[in-house]
Amino acid sequence: MSIAVHGSVEPLPDPTAAEHDAASDLFASLLASDDRPGVRVVPVAERSDLARTRLLDAYALLAGGNELPVLRGRADERSSPYGVFADAFEHATGNPEEFTELEQDANLLLRGLFRSLRTPGWAREALGVADAEHHRLHRAVAATLDAMSGPAGTVVLLDGVHHADPASIALLDHLVRRGPRTPILLVVAHDPHRAPASLAAVLDEAGRYRPDDAIAPVVRLVDAGRHRLTQREHTVLAVLAEGLTADAIARRLDISPRTVHRHLQHLYRKLGTADRLATVLHAKSLGILP
């Protein structure tokens, strides 16, 4: 799979309807045009519970319109082990015809497995391993998602992930690193101001995706027009894409290296990136660079 990054990592506190429409349009385009195998991660970083809910409502409708199965779960402050995933499999939706007999059986298997997690000692009883040895469960979930996903894939919508329990974050990390081979669109909606370090680390790992990695790519769905790059920042970005060093950019533009570094820091902040390569790749995906 190859990386597809759309939009900014900088969330707005109160996104407007126009911005949500733009994100929905991009999500619809993604569903219609991108069915590559493997997991793709779509972060939804919004502080407002209502804003996240409305956006996931729109995503669920779009997925249903594309005849894709939808798993939608929500974490809360009292979330039990694997709570957000358990909730998602309890609320698998879609037309019954969308699931084959094998896919229905796989979904029921995961529902029962996640229900059993509420009982201490479940892992030893069900899997013959200590509760702490969750890696076998992680692999089982990935394999079962493969079994229940049709050729066009499955959309998994997870909300309130900043409340997710450590077991859910560990499973999310496994899916990002070694997830299913079938197309899985994994939407991770969270309040970025309340996200634990473990969740930030998972999203950061996905954000560092490279084409030769097994790590899932991040797909960001926010209007590119929000970046508001200045003309000079556009110029620096274009020269940066040629692979020039800061000193070489300074000579090309007849400015000081210190000024170049200042422009680079502004670009990193506006595009939500951390290095030059990621900035160039992100700008190309947004259409800012050809």
Side-chain angles (χ1 to χ4, degrees), residues 86 167 188 289:
V188 180
L289 288 174

Side-chain angles (χ1 to χ4, degrees), residues 7-289:
S8 171
V9 298
E10 296 182 30
L12 290 180
D14 296 299
T16 65
E19 286 161 349
H20 273 193
D21 288 345
S24 296
D25 289 344
L26 287 166
F27 190 80
S29 298
L30 180 67
L31 291 174
S33 64
D34 193 351
D35 59 355
R36 291 168 294 175
V39 176
R40 287 158 295 152
V41 181
V42 180
V44 173
E46 301 284 7
R47 299 194 64 186
S48 165
D49 290 349
L50 180 59
R52 291 195 307 271
T53 297
R54 286 178 174 172
L55 199 50
L56 293 193
D57 285 346
Y59 289 178
L61 287 173
L62 289 167
N66 281 267
E67 300 184 341
L68 290 173
V70 177
L71 310 177
R72 183 171 180 177
R74 182 181 180 87
D76 58 37
E77 295 177 355
R78 299 169 296 174
S79 187
S80 57
Y82 298 99
V84 67
F85 286 97
D87 193 47
F89 285 97
E90 286 286 351
H91 296 93
T93 61
N95 297 326
E97 295 79 7
E98 295 301 322
F99 291 95
T100 66
E101 184 175 347
L102 174 62
E103 291 163 1
Q104 292 173 8
D105 289 345
N107 186 48
L108 289 173
L109 175 65
L110 279 180
R111 288 189 191 188
L113 181 59
F114 282 122
R115 285 196 193 105
S116 72
L117 303 185
R118 300 166 187 157
T119 304
W122 65 269
R124 187 171 299 282
E125 180 179 346
L127 304 174
V129 299
D131 283 357
E133 297 180 35
H134 290 190
H135 58 281
R136 295 188 186 183
L137 173 68
H138 296 169
R139 293 198 297 268
V141 170
T144 311
L145 274 170
D146 266 334
M148 69 173 293
S149 295
T154 297
V155 175
V156 181
L157 305 173
L158 304 180
D159 195 7
V161 186
H162 52 281
H163 288 311
D165 59 281
S168 292
I169 300 296
L171 176 53
L172 181 65
D173 183 62
H174 178 83
L175 295 177
V176 165
R177 294 174 181 271
R178 303 178 188 87
R181 294 179 297 275
T182 50
I184 303 290
L185 199 56
L186 180 59
V187 179
V188 180
H190 63 287
D191 179 347
H193 289 211
R194 302 169 67 188
S198 55
L199 174 59
V202 171
L203 296 177
D204 183 60
E205 184 70 19
R208 291 200 301 268
Y209 167 85
R210 295 177 298 277
D212 58 343
D213 284 341
I215 296 171
V218 164
V219 183
R220 301 195 186 276
L221 304 172
V222 183
D223 185 6
R226 284 172 47 186
H227 299 298
R228 301 186 181 90
L229 301 186
T230 67
Q231 184 58 50
R232 177 58 83 178
E233 288 165 352
H234 274 287
T235 303
V236 171
L237 181 60
V239 180
L240 183 68
E242 298 178 20
L244 299 183
T245 66
D247 287 343
I249 294 174
R251 290 193 295 271
R252 169 80 68 84
L253 301 180
D254 194 24
I255 56 180
S256 71
R258 182 176 179 179
T259 300
V260 172
H261 285 294
R262 187 173 69 249
H263 287 311
L264 290 177
Q265 291 303 314
H266 291 169
L267 287 169
Y268 295 163
R269 177 177 57 79
K270 290 183 178 182
L271 297 178
T273 52
D275 57 52
R276 298 181 185 191
L277 178 59
T279 300
V280 171
L281 292 175
H282 192 13
K284 287 183 177 180
S285 73
L286 292 169
I288 297 174
L289 288 174

